[in-house]
Amino acid sequence: MTPVAYRRAQSTGDAVRLAGMAGHRLLGGGTNLVDLMRKGVEQPATLVDVTGLPGGIEEAADGSIVIGAGARNGAIAAHPLIRSRYPMLSRAILAGASAQIRNMATAGGNLLQRTRCVYFADEAGSRCNKRAPGSGCDAIGGFTRYHAILGASPACIATHPSDMAVALAALDARVHVAGKDDARVVPLADFHRLPGERPDIETALEPGDVIVAIELPPSRLAARSDYRKVRDRASYAFALVSVAAGVVVEDGRIAEARIALGGVAHKPWRARLAEAALEGKVPSEAAFVAAAAAELATAEPQPGNGFKVALAQRTLAAVLSALCEDQA
Ligand SMILES: Cc1cc2nc3c(=O)[nH]c(=O)nc-3n(C[C@H](O)[C@H](O)[C@H](O)COP(=O)(O)OP(=O)(O)OC[C@H]3O[C@@H](n4cnc5c(N)ncnc54)[C@H](O)[C@@H]3O)c2cc1C
């Protein structure tokens, strides 16, 4: 048995101080970190519990909503402000895990959950550049049903597993971070990284940084938004492909669209090509299909996941169609 020390952060400053110490890792609900410790993938000497830090969900003076990093996923999904103003976020969270896990998992931990690539999790038997930089990637040429089709690299084809983060990407959310030298705000779109040659560096966080809150800016399209997840089982399964989308139709044309895809890349994939293809168009099946095709044009599937390209295109077109029909 490996002994692990436990400490509880008393304040954000305390969390930052402890997070910067060698061998210390922050502990949210523990639903991902503790699993990975059992598998030997994560080996912290000390866990720093941050669930006592602010976890409220509040409206700011400018109408944005600020979600404390300690907010439980279940509480976010059920909150009246989230359900009414940002339904895609509520649905994305409810599409993930189980009620018990959502009640433990925190907003901060959800953003930082690690990939579900089976080769990453197989500490004893598989090579993984994310786990052991420079060791190789056994996913390439392996079982790739859940792996990336966009933005992958020869070093890593893993996907980001979070449903919540896909909705946050479409909503232009901002992550508030406290570090040893400063406090800063990182757009969600820049928070997670593509793998490149360093898949072990997954986010814009520096060692010792603490996520303090997630901010949802006011959005006129968020109230008419949706999240659709396609998976191998009806529940308790990660996305093969997911779509978070919001659309505003004005005077018979698409005035604004915000779209992100899940299950397809190392980070929540903001679908800016599809958004650009839609803006100004009269809603039609042909326009939805063309926008989806534009986004997936650069897809580079693995031998085992070519089906995801068509699946992503069709799911996106179907979500757009339903959202526009509601505003006809
Ligand atoms: C069986 C099962 C099924 C699941 N299915 C889904 C699914 O379908 N969809 C989905 O999206 N998710 C799913 N999940 C994943 C689940 O959503 C995550 O495990 C959860 O969101 C992680 O949150 P946590 O608070 O428990 O994080 P923890 O496990 O406590 O921490 C995760 C990481 O975040 C870091 N961390 C935590 N808080 C902070 C902070 N404030 N600042 C900086 N770093 C921090 C930790 O150090 C750690 O590295 C599933 C999990 C399980 C076990």
Side-chain angles (χ1 to χ4, degrees), residues 37-129:
M37 287 167 65
R38 288 196 186 107
K39 290 178 175 145
V41 174
E42 301 263 21
Q43 298 173 333
T46 302
L47 292 174
V48 179
D49 188 337
V50 287
T51 55
L53 302 188
I57 300 170
E58 278 155 24
E59 183 168 7
D62 67 353
S64 49
I65 304 291
V66 179
I67 302 170
R72 306 288 177 170
N73 289 187
I76 304 169
H79 197 282
L81 281 173
I82 305 296
R83 291 178 59 190
S84 58
R85 294 198 202 164
Y86 303 92
M88 74 155 85
L89 178 57
S90 183
R91 287 174 200 154
I93 293 171
L94 292 175
S98 66
Q100 293 88 341
I101 292 167
R102 295 193 294 267
N103 286 341
M104 281 301 290
T106 61
N110 190 315
L111 283 185
L112 292 181
Q113 60 176 294
R114 314 284 311 269
T115 182
R116 293 281 158 168
C117 173
V118 291
Y119 302 96
F120 167 74
D122 179 24
E123 201 269 336
S126 300
R127 295 177 307 151
C128 172
N129 287 319

Side-chain angles (χ1 to χ4, degrees), residues 25-33 35 50 69 73 95-97 101 105-106 108-110 112-113 116 161-163 209-211 229 236-238:
R25 288 296 296 274
L26 301 183
L27 179 72
T31 62
N32 187 228
L33 180 56
D35 268 2
V50 287
N73 289 187
I101 292 167
T106 61
N110 190 315
L112 292 181
Q113 60 176 294
R116 293 281 158 168
S162 169
D163 290 297
D209 279 352
V210 176
I211 298 174
K229 175 175 177 179
Y236 221 46
F238 288 87

